[in-house]
Amino acid sequence: MAGALRAAGRKKMKKLLFGRKKAPLLALAAVLALAGLAWGAPAPARRFALHFERIWPYYKVFCRGMINSLEVTFMSVIMGSICGTALALLKVSRLGPLSWFATAYTSVFRGTPLMVQLFLVYFATPQLFDYQIPAFNAVVLTFGLNSAAYVSEILRGGIQSIDVGQREAAMALGVPYRAMMFDIVIPQALRTVLPSLVNELIALLKDTSIVATIGMLDMMRAAQTAMNSTYLAFEPFIVVAGMYYVLVMIFTAVASRLERRLHKSDRN
Amino acid sequence: MIEIRDLKKRFGSLEVLRGVNLKIDDGEVVSIVGPSGSGKSTLLRCINLLETPTSGQVVIDGQDITQRGVDIQKVRENVGMVFQHFNLFQNKNVLQNMVYAPMKVRGLPEAQAVEKAMRLLDRVGLADKARAYPSMLSGGQQQRVAIARALAMEPRTLLFDEPTSALDPEMVKEVLDVIRGLVSTGITMAIVTHEMGFAREASDRVCFVDGGVIAEDAAPSEFFSSPKSARARQFLEKVL
């Protein structure tokens, strides 16, 4: 009985190897052969190895890029804060046309992509005014104006969140409007909106990566430069990602220290 | 002297003040009482134009402050106000609250402003809290500071807008004691209050506001013992 079964099995095997139903076996063989090829070939193996040492020669480019990125961010933040504060004040004022202007401004700058704005400033300006605006100026102008729109919204919310009694107390003491705003209302508003402002700063730093598109050497552009010369993509971009991340972490740490200090003046 | 003539104020379709006439002499202490929503606070807030009257006049020391072109900040320097919710500047400590307006508005040198502030804080019994922030003080303490802050501007008139309404019961007395202490100093005072006992003993006159007009204006002894109008009688029955 057992012998008969074994004979049948052998027959089946024979049929499988030499019979008409060879397709599954061929497919298996093909897969094995390809796997063998892949295993044996040197190219894929190289793909998994990382060569950060080949990025190292570009460290100066990366540093230059980081300095430029920070410079752009810094200048844009200054411009954004000043213009944003002015816009926020217009929004909370009762000066009809001016407050309307501030609202329209915000609407336009929030309603169009930053990159489009940058291209408009950098590429369209020469066409209109016969003046080639330097990349750095174009970038700071665009980012400053754009950031102003966001900062003004954040500040407006902050100002309006402050109890109206604070204003009334100042007014009742004969304090002029401007002093009331800058000495009483805005300092309190800033404390409430500080986290949102830090968010805006972080977003701004990261958004500066698009200045690479107009050829400015920032961190992103540095990574591209390294990629173009070494044909390595992972290494330069992981490095630049790390650099952005570390900078953002530093901003966050500084901001939370500042926040704690402001909070202390509240309780102590 | 404060003279209010035919003062009207409407918020949208709601007419809050329907023609108020009121005269407050220099040094007089007037309590303004009446049911909730009668327009007491609005009336008070019209005196330093925290509310802009719809029509009518507010004449302070001969100057109609509702006229166009009046420098209202100048007027407010001499008309202090104490609020129901104290409204101390949250970002400044007690001393900074006290010296801010005198320095900024009156141009007082810091040393002088601080000295005056400390004297006033001493008077309201809070000299030891000079460095504290408002959020660390009790309601009663905050209101005493607020009164001292108003006094630091040396106003001729002080307006009190329900100064004890937001306080816990046990803190009402300390604030009323401070206000009582001001009665004989010659400052003109208008006090919107629900404290009938205080109105009776501390004020020279009681104005009963009802339905946007002054329904009764009498000496406290007269008002509380024999109110003339039926509405005032009803009101007093409820609160006394």
Side-chain angles (χ1 to χ4, degrees):
Chain A
M1 188 66 187
L5 260 180
R6 220 174 290 134
R10 224 178 285 133
K11 208 172 177 185
K12 220 173 195 173
M13 195 68 184
K14 244 182 181 168
K15 197 175 174 186
L16 201 64
L17 280 175
F18 305 106
R20 271 178 291 159
K21 289 184 180 167
K22 278 184 282 196
L25 205 74
L26 278 177
L28 182 69
V31 168
L32 282 178
L34 277 176
L37 262 178
W39 193 257
R46 206 183 291 146
R47 199 179 295 151
F48 295 114
L50 294 174
H51 293 280
F52 283 102
E53 78 283 352
R54 287 175 56 199
I55 298 303
W56 177 247
Y58 297 90
Y59 80 94
K60 275 187 179 160
V61 183
F62 277 95
C63 284
R64 187 69 246 165
M66 185 172 76
I67 289 167
N68 284 347
S69 287
L70 286 174
E71 219 167 58
V72 164
T73 306
F74 185 67
M75 301 293 281
S76 306
V77 160
I78 290 178
M79 185 170 164
S81 311
I82 294 171
C83 297
T85 309
L87 285 168
L89 286 172
L90 291 184
K91 281 180 195 170
V92 299
S93 76
R94 289 190 195 140
L95 309 166
L98 287 176
S99 110
W100 182 87
F101 163 79
T103 308
Y105 177 98
T106 307
S107 162
V108 168
F109 276 89
R110 284 205 306 187
T112 54
L114 184 52
M115 195 154 153
V116 174
Q117 291 165 20
L118 180 61
F119 276 36
L120 274 173
V121 170
Y122 185 65
F123 295 118
T125 311
Q127 188 188 331
L128 283 188
F129 300 110
D130 192 28
Y131 163 67
Q132 180 55 58
I133 185 167
F136 183 82
N137 296 11
V139 164
V140 169
L141 187 66
T142 311
F143 281 74
L145 292 178
N146 182 277
S147 179
Y150 288 91
V151 168
S152 75
E153 264 313 275
I154 294 169
L155 275 183
R156 180 191 60 81
I159 289 171
Q160 285 174 344
S161 77
I162 300 305
D163 177 21
V164 69
Q166 297 285 310
R167 289 160 170 250
E168 287 186 346
M171 288 196 293
L173 285 164
V175 176
Y177 184 85
R178 248 180 61 154
M180 171 190 84
M181 272 296 170
F182 284 99
D183 295 339
I184 309 295
V185 179
I186 291 183
Q188 294 184 50
L190 275 181
R191 196 174 53 201
T192 30
V193 301
L194 189 70
S196 313
L197 284 177
V198 172
N199 267 347
E200 169 57 19
L201 170 67
I202 288 171
L204 184 61
L205 170 70
K206 292 189 297 180
D207 283 348
T208 58
S209 60
I210 70 167
V211 307
T213 57
I214 65 166
M216 205 179 141
L217 175 65
D218 71 327
M219 278 149 70
M220 180 68 182
R221 182 76 176 174
Q224 285 175 347
T225 308
M227 173 179 76
N228 292 343
S229 331
T230 58
Y231 300 106
L232 294 174
F234 186 81
E235 293 87 340
F237 288 113
I238 202 73
V239 164
V240 89
M243 288 168 76
Y244 277 115
Y245 186 73
V246 167
L247 287 178
V248 168
M249 286 303 105
I250 292 173
F251 286 180
T252 312
V254 170
S256 61
R257 274 187 70 158
L258 190 66
E259 212 170 320
R260 267 205 303 279
R261 242 182 49 197
L262 286 174
H263 204 66
K264 221 184 251 173
S265 85
D266 193 22
R267 298 264 159 245
N268 241 312
Chain B
M1 193 174 79
I2 298 169
E3 201 176 344
I4 296 166
R5 297 188 197 125
D6 198 27
L7 188 73
K8 289 181 183 164
K9 174 67 184 180
R10 57 165 62 243
F11 294 104
S13 62
L14 183 70
E15 197 170 20
V16 178
L17 298 178
R18 308 161 184 259
V20 172
N21 289 288
L22 176 65
K23 218 171 178 176
I24 304 176
D25 282 326
D26 284 341
E28 212 176 2
V29 178
V30 175
S31 288
I32 300 170
V33 302
S36 306
S38 58
K40 310 179 296 281
S41 283
T42 308
L43 169 61
L44 196 75
R45 289 161 61 86
C46 279
I47 298 177
N48 64 354
L49 294 197
L50 281 186
E51 301 291 354
T52 313
T54 310
S55 69
Q57 294 168 318
V58 178
V59 183
I60 299 179
D61 296 327
Q63 184 188 25
D64 179 4
I65 62 167
T66 58
Q67 217 99 75
R68 273 177 166 277
V70 171
D71 184 358
I72 185 60
Q73 300 300 50
K74 264 272 160 309
V75 175
R76 286 172 178 155
E77 287 177 30
N78 298 310
V79 183
M81 191 170 209
V82 175
F83 297 86
Q84 181 177 355
H85 296 286
F86 336 129
N87 297 351
L88 293 179
F89 301 134
Q90 295 296 316
N91 59 328
K92 295 185 182 296
N93 67 27
V94 167
L95 188 61
Q96 289 165 339
N97 262 280
M98 301 275 304
V99 300
Y100 176 67
M103 287 172 65
K104 197 89 189 176
V105 180
R106 292 249 196 253
L108 217 60
E110 187 176 356
Q112 228 173 306
V114 168
E115 196 228 298
K116 186 202 277 179
M118 290 312 295
R119 216 170 48 230
L120 285 166
L121 280 178
D122 202 35
R123 185 156 144 199
V124 299
L126 290 169
D128 57 326
K129 298 287 185 190
R131 304 280 164 193
Y133 278 84
S135 55
M136 303 161 61
L137 301 180
S138 73
Q141 290 171 329
Q142 288 192 56
Q143 193 62 299
R144 280 145 69 195
V145 172
I147 294 170
R149 179 177 70 173
L151 288 172
M153 287 294 282
E154 299 182 348
R156 281 216 282 275
T157 306
L158 255 184
L159 309 173
F160 291 85
D161 188 3
E162 304 198 19
T164 58
S165 296
L167 296 176
D168 291 339
E170 74 268 26
M171 293 170 183
V172 169
K173 188 174 174 296
E174 64 186 58
V175 170
L176 290 182
D177 284 345
V178 168
I179 302 176
R180 241 181 235 117
L182 299 173
V183 167
S184 53
T185 57
I187 299 177
T188 310
M189 296 201 278
I191 307 167
V192 171
T193 184
H194 291 293
E195 298 289 330
M196 292 306 144
F198 175 79
R200 186 201 294 240
E201 53 161 292
S203 50
D204 301 319
R205 255 164 70 205
V206 176
C207 289
F208 174 66
V209 178
D210 190 34
V213 294
I214 294 189
E216 203 155 332
D217 183 348
S221 53
E222 200 179 321
F223 176 75
F224 286 103
S225 55
S226 52
K228 276 176 248 148
S229 65
R231 283 189 300 191
R233 265 198 300 278
Q234 274 170 9
F235 173 72
L236 286 175
E237 266 166 33
K238 275 183 213 155
V239 297
L240 286 180

